[in-house]
Amino acid sequence: MTLPAPIGRLTAVRTLVLYGSNLVRIPPEIGDMTRLEGFSPYTSRRLHWFPYEITRCGRLVNSTVSTRSIYGNYKYRPPSPPLLPPGDTVPDLDGLASARWGATAARTCSVCTGHIPATGPHQAWLSRAVATDVLPLLVNACSQECLDALPPGAKGHFSTPHRGGAIEQPASR
């Protein structure tokens, strides 16, 4: 269902092809794959979103994503799932309930790489251009200040981070 977190140790990988996979999540450690130039999860129809950390792959220039399967796509506009605000102490940040948090772990901040507090991550959705596609990105931030520091969303998408759910989306093209 997801790639193992040690995928981030594969720093020499230049192309990651996940064509037709059955994955539902990509781990945030993908951001540590510093030489990644091509990312192709095409026809991986269970991938609806990606971790914000993928934006750390500075060499990533080519992508092939099944955009009809992702949240907020330009044609069908399926909404991002609602995210809960932080506040409750999370007993295990390495064993999160994915149905509630959208991820199974949140160790470091997606924005500043600081530690996530015991109250859990400050989460938000943000659609950004990644390589050749606009992707819905899940941000796990350590604070509201880090969420406020995020760059604007892609044109034609929400310009600011949001909590998802039943919200009116920008008009499709």
Side-chain angles (χ1 to χ4, degrees):
M1 289 183 58
T2 189
L3 296 171
I7 193 171
R9 293 188 207 142
L10 303 175
T11 57
V13 172
R14 292 177 44 202
T15 304
L16 182 59
V17 178
L18 303 170
Y19 188 92
S21 77
N22 206 24
L23 296 172
V24 295
R25 282 184 300 282
I26 302 291
E29 288 80 7
I30 193 170
D32 297 333
M33 298 177 75
T34 55
R35 293 198 182 130
L36 192 63
E37 297 172 3
F39 178 62
S40 182
Y42 193 64
T43 69
S44 296
R45 305 220 190 278
R46 295 180 68 195
L47 280 175
H48 303 298
W49 58 272
F50 299 87
Y52 183 79
E53 287 81 353
I54 199 169
T55 62
R56 293 188 191 145
C57 298
R59 295 184 181 184
L60 186 57
V61 292
N62 294 311
S63 62
T64 308
V65 176
S66 297
T67 54
R68 289 185 181 182
S69 299
I70 60 175
Y71 297 136
N73 72 62
Y74 74 93
K75 190 168 186 177
Y76 300 113
R77 295 291 190 178
S80 303
L83 298 171
L84 300 173
D88 296 336
T89 299
V90 179
D92 180 13
L93 291 172
D94 287 321
L96 296 176
S98 61
R100 177 178 179 189
W101 296 98
T104 56
R107 298 170 192 90
T108 59
C109 178
S110 299
V111 182
C112 74
T113 69
H115 292 288
I116 299 288
T119 55
H122 292 250
Q123 291 185 306
W125 294 107
L126 182 66
S127 292
R128 298 264 315 156
V130 175
T132 54
D133 293 293
V134 173
L135 302 179
L137 305 171
L138 177 63
V139 179
N140 285 308
C142 62
S143 65
Q144 183 61 45
E145 290 77 21
C146 278
L147 287 181
D148 294 341
L150 287 168
K155 184 178 179 180
H157 296 266
F158 285 104
S159 60
T160 58
H162 61 89
R163 291 211 174 276
I167 52 178
E168 188 174 334
Q169 297 190 43
S172 61
R173 295 183 212 170

